[in-house]
Amino acid sequence: MKLYAIFGNPVAHSISPKMHNYLFQKLGFDGCYTKIVVEDGAKLKERFFDLSLKGINITVPHKEWAYKLADEVYGIAKEVEAVNTWYEKNGKIYAYNTDAPGFYESIKEYAFENILILGAGGTAKAIALYLKEKGYNPHILNRSAGRLQFFKERGFICYTWDEFEQEKYDLIINTTSAGLKDEALPAPQKILKPLMQEAKYAVDVIYNKLTPFLALARELGLTYKDGTQMLLYQGILAFEIFTDFSFNKEEITRVAKEALTL
Ligand SMILES: NC(=O)c1ccc[n+]([C@@H]2O[C@H](COP(=O)([O-])OP(=O)(O)OC[C@H]3O[C@@H](n4cnc5c(N)ncnc54)[C@H](OP(=O)(O)O)[C@@H]3O)[C@@H](O)[C@H]2O)c1
């Protein structure tokens, strides 16, 4: 049997084990996926090999460590400098970022041009760089200046709350953790409300919750979604990697969707 896990701190809330174990079972793959709390990111590799794992997902706060410790990094993860998926082959660790393409898959059905990303953390980096690769030019709005440096260096238009100048955006994406464990909006209401009154779509990366951001979107009549589909699609991409692309993607997608309704 091949063993898989999610490494992070905390991981108790994660529904990745449910999705991957259901996929293993339904698709007849001899695998098992569990949750492991890892406190020290520098020990990711040691823990991975000690437990004889074949693959892992890496979540908050270790995605940067996972990037640094991998032997080979593929795709957008190289630019983002953060990874959420490891796969072991011949004693080497191959690393990927499936968050960004997973997110993109979840918004493909929308028709938009101008995008505002709220937040400037790891998830914002992944989404912003991926959207740029797809030909968009998202603007970034963050509470404080520090994390904006990464985006400025890569040519993004960036604002803190204090310096924000309103423009019209079709799509507003919340990548902050505001609303995850509190009832906070990701930006002050006096900035957010006029922006959302002009927007068409609001997407939150937080899943399984109507955050205050999404509640405002609903109140203002926008089309909105939470991060469940992002989770689904990043998981499907990770599953393909974990099983060395041995299954048909449509089949994985069908079964993974089923898993999330359990
Ligand atoms: N659906 C999925 O599959 C999926 C995948 C990945 C991540 N996520 C979610 O994405 C979220 C962000 O994760 P991350 O790793 O990118 O976090 P992170 O690197 O820690 O970044 C957090 C960002 O949120 C901002 N922020 C935090 N609290 C805020 C508040 N009360 N008001 C306004 N801004 C606030 C921070 O601003 P400052 O710079 O000012 O501190 C920073 O820009 C988490 O909720 C995570 O669960 C979901």
Side-chain angles (χ1 to χ4, degrees):
M1 176 182 279
K2 293 186 170 129
L3 302 176
Y4 302 83
I6 179 155
F7 277 15
N9 188 18
V11 287
H13 66 287
S14 173
I15 57 173
S16 293
K18 185 167 102 172
M19 178 160 53
H20 288 286
N21 284 326
Y22 189 78
L23 278 161
F24 290 147
Q25 190 200 334
K26 289 284 170 183
L27 297 177
F29 184 89
D30 195 14
C32 181
Y33 188 115
T34 188
K35 302 175 187 182
I36 295 174
V37 175
V38 177
E39 278 166 8
D40 182 358
K43 301 243 165 75
L44 281 183
K45 204 166 181 175
E46 209 176 306
R47 295 293 300 278
F48 182 86
F49 284 113
D50 282 352
L51 294 163
S52 306
L53 295 164
K54 186 67 186 165
I56 54 169
N57 287 122
I58 303 97
T59 186
V60 180
H62 300 318
K63 291 181 188 181
E64 280 86 7
W65 271 112
Y67 165 79
K68 282 187 214 148
L69 296 171
D71 294 305
E72 263 190 59
V73 180
Y74 288 102
I76 192 79
K78 275 194 258 185
E79 283 179 72
V80 183
E81 298 174 1
V83 308
N84 74 327
T85 305
W86 275 8
Y87 180 68
E88 180 275 329
K89 209 170 184 176
N90 302 324
K92 281 177 91 179
I93 289 174
Y94 297 86
Y96 306 78
N97 186 313
T98 70
D99 283 333
F103 176 81
Y104 186 68
E105 195 63 34
S106 80
I107 57 161
K108 260 168 58 179
E109 63 176 311
Y110 293 158
F112 56 85
E113 274 180 33
N114 304 316
I115 308 167
L116 180 67
I117 296 179
L118 306 171
T123 310
K125 281 183 193 170
I127 290 175
L129 288 168
Y130 200 77
L131 287 171
K132 198 171 186 192
E133 209 177 83
K134 293 282 171 196
Y136 297 96
N137 178 25
H139 294 183
I140 319 292
L141 173 62
N142 196 44
R143 178 174 61 181
S144 55
R147 285 185 165 102
L148 290 176
Q149 196 53 33
F150 175 93
F151 296 88
K152 283 186 184 156
E153 283 164 9
R154 287 157 181 81
F156 288 95
I157 293 177
C158 304
Y159 306 98
T160 61
W161 294 353
D162 295 338
E163 54 197 33
F164 187 63
E165 291 162 28
Q166 188 174 340
E167 284 185 40
K168 186 179 179 308
Y169 298 100
D170 305 316
L171 168 64
I172 303 179
I173 304 164
N174 176 33
T175 72
T176 79
S177 37
L180 182 65
K181 290 182 195 139
D182 53 34
E183 288 306 308
L185 280 169
Q189 176 135 355
K190 68 174 193 305
I191 296 181
L192 211 47
K193 201 165 176 182
L195 278 176
M196 290 175 80
Q197 276 164 334
E198 293 216 73
K200 291 198 271 185
Y201 310 104
V203 179
D204 206 316
V205 299
I206 295 170
Y207 59 87
N208 276 348
K209 189 176 172 190
L210 186 80
T211 57
F213 170 70
L214 291 186
L216 183 60
R218 183 170 70 175
E219 183 191 314
L220 297 174
L222 275 72
T223 300
Y224 64 90
K225 67 170 68 167
D226 74 359
T228 307
Q229 284 192 358
M230 173 182 180
L231 180 86
L232 169 79
Y233 291 118
Q234 64 77 25
I236 291 168
L237 295 168
F239 187 86
E240 286 192 288
I241 294 164
F242 289 160
T243 55
D244 213 4
F245 299 88
S246 344
F247 295 94
N248 171 290
K249 190 157 186 171
E250 281 70 43
E251 182 72 348
I252 302 172
T253 306
R254 187 184 60 74
V255 179
K257 281 183 179 167
E258 233 173 75
L260 288 188
T261 61
L262 296 176

